[in-house]
C-alpha cells in the first residue's frame, strides 16, 4: 500500500476532509507501532523494487511541513522527492518511494514551521535538525547529542539487503576499550583502543573516524558478533568537523606521525601488557570518505606499515593545493590524482579492498579505475559496489565484508602477501 492507499483505508477516500477522528488516528498509530516502519510492499511494475512508505508523527501544531532526509535518495538534486504529505486534520505525515529491494540507507525526518522545509545540510554546511524514526524497530544509526535522543538517523534495510544483524548484537565484546587524547601532527585527537580477551590477537585494525566507530557503532561488539578472529582495534577520532578535515584531508604529515609515532607507542604499551601482536601482513588500516583517502595515502607513503587497506567511498576527488572539492570530478577527464600516484609508484606489498555505493555517481568509475590500476600492478585487490550511498549505514557492512575477505585470503595464503591479484568483483 502506498501512502495514499493507507490514508484512504483509515480515513476514507475523501482526502479533502478538514479533520479526522481522533480514534481513527490513534488506531492508525497503534497499528504502525505493531507493524514497524518503514512499511514495505511489493512494487506492481518491477519485482526488484519495493514501494516503501515512510511515516512521521507530529504532535506540535506549529509544524507545517516535513522533509524525509534519506542518504542518496532524497538529498542533493533529489530533495523534492522527500517532501512529505499530511493526512488533513492529523499529525500523520508520509511519503511513498519506489526503491531497490536490496537498498540500505540512513534516513530521518526534518519538520518545519514553514510551508516548505528548510534545505538539507551539505558536507560543509550544517542543515536543520534531523530526527530518528520512532517506529523503526532497529537501533538508530547515529545519535550525535545524548541530551536530545530523538535527534539522529535511522536505517532502512530493504528485504534483500545484506545481513547487518551483527551491528545490533546484544552481546558486548569480551575485551576492553581505553580512550586517551593524543597530539598527532599538531592535532588533538581522541584515540580509542580495543583489546580482545586474548594476549595473541590475530589482527590489528586502525580506523579513522574512530569516534563514530567506537561511540556511535560499537565496532568491537559487531566484529565479535560477526565471528571475526580476535583483533586489536585502534580508532583515531577528531574533536570537530574542521579538525577532521585538517587531519584526513590529504594530510600526509599527520599520517606519517600515525605510522611512525602513534602506532609504535600503542604497540609498545600493549607489549608491556603482555600482548603478542601480529606481523605486518595482519595489520589493517580502514576508513571511509576522507578516511578512505587517508588509508590509501598511508599505504602509498608507508607501504611497510600495514598489510591491508579497507577503503570505502574514498574521496578520490582530493588533490594537493587546498582547493579540491567533490565537484572537481565533474571536470576531470583523466585519472584522479591519487590513481596517478599509484600508477607511478612501485607495487606496494599491500592488499586492497575497495568499496563504493551504487548511488555515488562518478565515484563508481573512478574507484573501478583505481582498482584496475592496483590489480594491474599485481596487488591483491577486490572491489565491491554495494546498493547504497555515501553512508555509515553501508560502510559498517563494508567493514565487516573487508575484514572477512582479508582473513579468508590470509587463510588461503598463510605466508602473507604473495603478489597475486584478486579479480575485482561487484556485489
Amino acid at each position: 500500500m502506498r501512502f495514499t492507499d493507507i490514508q484512504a483505508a483509515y480515513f476514507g477516500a475523501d482526502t479533502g476532509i478538514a479533520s479526522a477522528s481522533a480514534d481513527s488516528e490513534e488506531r492508525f498509530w497503534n497499528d504502525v507501532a505493531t507493524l514497524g516502519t518503514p512499511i514495505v510492499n511489493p512494487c506492481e511494475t518491477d519485482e526488484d523494487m519495493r514501494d516503501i512508505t515512510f511515516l512521521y508523527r507530529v504532535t506540535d501544531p506549529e509544524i507545517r511541513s516535513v522533509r524525509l532526509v534519506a542518504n542518496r535518495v532524497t538529498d542533493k538534486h533529489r530533495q523534492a522527492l522527500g517532501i512529505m504529505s499530511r493526512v488533513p486534520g492529523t499529525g500523520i505525515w508520509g511519503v511513498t518511494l519506489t526503491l531497490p529491494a536490496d537498498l540500505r540507507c540512513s534516513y530521518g525526518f526534518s519538520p518545519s514551521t514553514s510551508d516548505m522545509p528548510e534545505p538539507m545540510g551539505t558536507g560543509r554546511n550544517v542543515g536543520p535538525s534531523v530526527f530518528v524514526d520512532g517506529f523503526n524497530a532497529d537501533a538508530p544509526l547515529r545519535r550525535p547529542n545524548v541530551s536530545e535522543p530523538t535527534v539522529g538517523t535511522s536505517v532502512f534495510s530493504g528485504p534483500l539487503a545484506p545481513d547487518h544483524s551483527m551491528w545490533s548484537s546484544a552481546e558486548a565484546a569480551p575485551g576492553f576499550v581505553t580512550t586517551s587524547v593524543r597530539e598527532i601532527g599538531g592535532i588533538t585527537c581522541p584515540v580509542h583502543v580495543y583489546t580482545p580477551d586474548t594476549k595473541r590477537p590475530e589482527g590489528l585494525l586502525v580506523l579513522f573516524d574512530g569516534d563514530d566507530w567506537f561511540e556511535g557503532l560499537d565496532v568491537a561488539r559487531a566484529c565479535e558478533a560477526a565471528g571475526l578472529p580476535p583483533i586489536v582495534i585502534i580508532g583515531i577520532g577528531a574533536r570537530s568537523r574542521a579538525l577532521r578535515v585538517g587531519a584526513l584531508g590529504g594530510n600526509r604529515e599527520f599520517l606519517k606521525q600515525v605510522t611512525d609515532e602513534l602506532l609504535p607507542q600503542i604497540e609498545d604499551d600493549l607489549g608491556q601488557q603482555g600482548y603478542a601482536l601480529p606481523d605486518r601482513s595482519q595489520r589493517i588500516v580502514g576508513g571511509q570518505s576522507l578516511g578512505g583517502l587517508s588509508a590509501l595515502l598511508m599505504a602509498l607513503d608507508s607501504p611497510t606499515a600495514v598489510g591491508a587497506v579497507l577503503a570505502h567511498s574514498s574521496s578520490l576527488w582530493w588533490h594537493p593545493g587546498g582547493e579540491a572539492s567533490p565537484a572537481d570530478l565533474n571536470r576531470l577527464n583523466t585519472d584522479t590524482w591519487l590513481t596517478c600516484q599509484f600508477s607511478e609508484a612501485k607495487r606496494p606489498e599491500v592488499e586492497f579492498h575497495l568499496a563504493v555505493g551504487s548511488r555515488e555517481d562518478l565515484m563508481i568509475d573512478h574507484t573501478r579505475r583505481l582498482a584496475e590500476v592496483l590489480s594491474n600492478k599485481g596487488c591483491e585487490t577486490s572491489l565491491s559496489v554495494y546498493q547504497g550511498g555515501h553512508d555509515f549505514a553501508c560502510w559498517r557492512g563494508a567493514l565487516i565484508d573487508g575484514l572477512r575477505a582479508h582473513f579468508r585470503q590470509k587463510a588461503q595464503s598463510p605466508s602473507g602477501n604473495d603478489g597475486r591479484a584478486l579479480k575485482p568483483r561487484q556485489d
Side-chain angles (χ1 to χ4, degrees):
M1 295 174 65
R2 301 181 69 83
F3 181 57
T4 51
D5 299 325
I6 295 173
Q7 180 172 325
Y10 279 85
F11 304 103
D14 182 8
T15 58
I17 57 176
S19 64
S21 162
D23 289 342
S24 295
E25 182 173 357
E26 193 62 28
R27 177 169 61 88
F28 172 83
W29 287 120
N30 287 338
D31 290 349
V32 168
T34 300
L35 184 62
T37 54
I39 296 174
V40 180
N41 281 288
C43 173
E44 295 181 356
T45 58
D46 191 335
E47 64 180 10
D48 294 327
M49 307 292 282
R50 298 291 188 274
D51 288 340
I52 313 299
T53 298
F54 296 86
L55 297 167
Y56 187 61
R57 185 174 193 174
V58 171
T59 57
D60 183 352
E62 299 297 318
I63 297 300
R64 300 171 65 180
S65 61
V66 180
R67 182 192 298 279
L68 167 68
V69 179
N71 186 286
R72 293 302 196 267
V73 174
T74 67
D75 54 6
K76 297 185 178 293
H77 61 279
R78 301 168 287 261
Q79 293 195 34
L81 295 174
I83 301 300
M84 304 182 77
S85 299
R86 180 190 180 196
V87 176
T90 75
I92 302 169
W93 293 78
V95 64
T96 298
L97 301 176
T98 301
L99 301 172
D102 56 348
L103 174 69
R104 178 172 277 113
C105 70
S106 61
Y107 73 95
F109 304 101
S110 179
S112 173
T113 57
S114 302
D115 289 333
M116 179 64 68
E118 291 84 352
M120 293 172 54
T122 65
R124 298 183 179 181
N125 300 303
V126 178
S129 295
V130 175
F131 297 88
V132 300
D133 184 349
F135 296 99
N136 187 324
D138 292 334
L141 179 68
R142 303 173 89 178
R143 279 180 167 162
N145 189 340
V146 294
S147 65
E148 296 184 73
T150 61
V151 174
T153 53
S154 299
V155 177
F156 163 68
S157 298
L160 301 183
D163 175 35
H164 278 198
S165 59
M166 69 286 296
W167 292 98
S168 56
S169 170
E171 297 295 327
F176 302 92
V177 175
T178 59
T179 300
S180 60
V181 177
R182 310 219 183 190
E183 290 288 328
I184 308 172
I187 300 174
T188 302
C189 300
V191 176
H192 313 270
V193 180
Y194 169 76
T195 49
D197 64 345
T198 173
K199 296 295 185 178
R200 301 189 66 84
E202 296 182 35
L204 184 149
L205 171 65
V206 179
L207 287 173
F208 297 112
D209 292 308
D211 298 335
D212 289 291
W213 288 112
F214 274 79
E215 298 174 2
L217 294 170
D218 200 345
V219 62
R221 180 195 301 257
C223 287
E224 177 70 20
L228 291 167
I231 56 177
V232 171
I233 307 174
I234 301 170
I236 302 172
R239 286 182 158 176
S240 69
R241 183 186 301 236
L243 288 176
R244 176 183 182 269
V245 172
L248 304 182
N251 188 337
R252 301 171 91 167
E253 182 58 33
F254 175 87
L255 298 175
K256 182 174 176 58
Q257 290 203 22
V258 169
T259 57
D260 293 355
E261 297 182 19
L262 176 67
L263 296 185
Q265 289 173 3
I266 293 175
E267 292 168 10
D268 286 346
D269 291 343
L270 294 179
Q272 292 177 16
Q273 298 173 40
Y275 287 91
L277 298 179
D279 63 23
R280 183 190 69 87
S281 69
Q282 297 291 64
R283 302 189 182 198
I284 309 153
V285 59
Q288 55 289 316
S289 194
L290 286 175
L293 167 75
S294 296
L296 290 164
L297 278 174
M298 182 181 289
L300 181 69
D301 291 346
S302 304
T304 61
V306 296
V309 169
L310 311 181
H312 310 142
S313 301
S314 304
S315 298
L316 298 181
W317 48 265
W318 185 89
H319 55 79
E323 301 298 327
S325 76
D328 292 344
L329 292 182
N330 295 317
R331 300 182 291 272
L332 188 64
N333 296 318
T334 60
D335 287 345
T336 66
W337 176 85
L338 186 60
T339 300
C340 290
Q341 298 302 299
F342 276 108
S343 294
E344 298 167 2
K346 294 181 179 179
R347 175 172 69 89
E349 297 290 338
V350 177
E351 173 188 326
F352 293 89
H353 295 280
L354 311 181
V356 65
S358 63
R359 294 173 172 257
E360 295 198 77
D361 304 321
L362 295 174
M363 284 294 302
I364 302 170
D365 286 342
H366 285 293
T367 304
R368 284 197 178 110
R369 174 56 183 159
L370 175 59
E372 179 183 36
V373 167
L374 293 169
S375 183
N376 288 342
K377 278 188 168 291
C379 298
E380 296 179 0
T381 308
S382 70
L383 168 64
S384 173
V385 181
Y386 56 80
Q387 180 63 262
H390 201 79
D391 196 343
F392 266 103
C394 301
W395 294 330
R396 63 182 189 177
L399 176 69
I400 298 297
D401 290 345
L403 290 170
R404 283 173 169 167
H406 168 75
F407 285 109
R408 182 169 59 247
Q409 177 66 14
K410 289 308 171 187
Q412 296 170 355
S413 179
S415 61
N417 191 322
D418 59 5
R420 294 176 298 166
L422 302 177
K423 182 179 179 181
R425 59 184 173 87
Q426 178 172 330
D427 293 342

